[in-house]
Amino acid sequence: MTVVAPRPSCLYEDEHLLVLDKPSGLLCVPGRGEDKQDCLIHRALQHWPDALVVHRLDMSTSGLVILARTKTVQSDLGKAFAAREVHKRYTAVVFGQVAAPEQDWGMVDAPLVCDWERRPLQIVCPETGKPSQTRYQLHPDQHGIPPHSTRLWLEPITGRSHQLRVHMTHIGHPMLGDALYAPAAVVAMAPRLLLHATALQFQHPVSGSPLQVQSPAPF
């Protein structure tokens, strides 16, 4: 008997692409082992058989993911991501009181490289790391979060693996629930990683019109 996976939440759909809202704890693509075959693309294919992967979010991160529906659109969107033409905004809750003006953006400029002895972890390394930049700003809504924490907007300029998580830890504000980079006490402050891809803005690869999709953070 074929088991139909839950239909992913779809926030935008046309004949060329989809924008889905990935839950935390779900892989974007299959991992190694039978227990890691359930993933966003597997679920999407059961409802949109032409869905193709364009980019990924970490398993623990929730939020917006674009899927293409043709090879041409997949290629065009991949080029747009590589050229930094896709504007991405995340919501995060981090430990501590972040000193940043509400109207201005702070910048973390810290080169990242894989920590090969502890893969897939990344580390800041000025000597061998690849250039990595993240903008951050105080979120206008600071209600409903644990004491001694701050809700932020985060905008990655580059797209390194685990970039937002490592950069926030690097400046002394690890994300709540981050089992990879936060101290145990900070991990315990939330039931999941408090990081959500909340907005995507890009030029539609076929029509050329601007497209913006938003998903409020569930925390």
Side-chain angles (χ1 to χ4, degrees):
M1 181 177 67
T2 301
V3 177
V4 178
R7 179 186 175 95
S9 174
C10 184
L11 300 184
Y12 178 85
E13 176 180 358
D14 65 23
E15 61 186 303
H16 308 292
L17 61 91
L18 308 162
V19 181
L20 305 184
D21 203 355
K22 186 186 83 68
S24 174
L26 183 69
L27 291 164
C28 277
V29 298
R32 294 181 181 178
E34 288 297 320
D35 61 328
K36 294 183 176 62
Q37 296 310 295
D38 183 26
C39 58
L40 185 67
I41 187 61
H42 171 73
R43 294 184 182 186
L45 285 169
Q46 295 191 45
H47 302 277
W48 300 277
D50 53 1
L52 297 165
V53 174
V54 175
H55 67 121
R56 307 177 189 182
L57 293 178
D58 294 342
M59 181 175 71
S60 299
T61 305
S62 58
L64 299 174
V65 177
I66 306 172
L67 298 178
R69 303 188 72 176
T70 70
K71 288 286 188 181
T72 300
V73 170
Q74 181 187 40
S75 176
D76 290 344
L77 286 171
K79 292 174 182 176
F81 271 97
R84 303 179 187 175
E85 294 171 352
V86 179
H87 180 263
K88 297 167 284 184
R89 177 175 287 188
Y90 292 74
T91 304
V93 179
V94 302
F95 180 73
Q97 302 302 310
V98 179
E102 291 187 13
Q103 301 302 320
D104 294 331
W105 290 86
M107 174 73 78
V108 182
D109 188 351
L112 299 179
V113 66
C114 181
D115 185 351
W116 290 105
E117 294 183 357
R118 299 188 301 154
R119 286 176 292 181
L121 270 63
Q122 309 291 310
I123 55 174
V124 173
C125 183
E127 290 76 24
T128 62
K130 294 180 179 179
S132 308
Q133 296 89 28
T134 299
R135 284 162 33 102
Y136 65 94
Q137 185 184 66
L138 290 179
H139 194 287
D141 181 9
Q142 295 296 324
H143 296 92
I145 58 176
H148 312 297
S149 65
T150 306
R151 184 180 279 120
L152 297 175
W153 294 125
L154 300 178
E155 294 187 351
I157 296 174
T158 52
R160 311 299 178 199
S161 179
H162 297 176
Q163 175 178 313
L164 301 179
R165 301 160 75 173
V166 179
H167 275 175
M168 290 300 100
T169 301
H170 178 66
I171 64 171
H173 297 289
M175 293 181 191
L176 274 55
D178 187 353
L180 290 181
Y181 298 101
V186 177
V187 177
M189 291 176 68
R192 52 156 290 190
L193 173 68
L194 297 191
L195 178 63
H196 181 80
T198 198
L200 286 171
Q201 186 172 349
F202 56 99
Q203 186 178 60
H204 193 287
V206 177
S207 70
S209 60
L211 180 60
Q212 182 171 347
V213 185
Q214 297 186 355
S215 168
F219 49 79

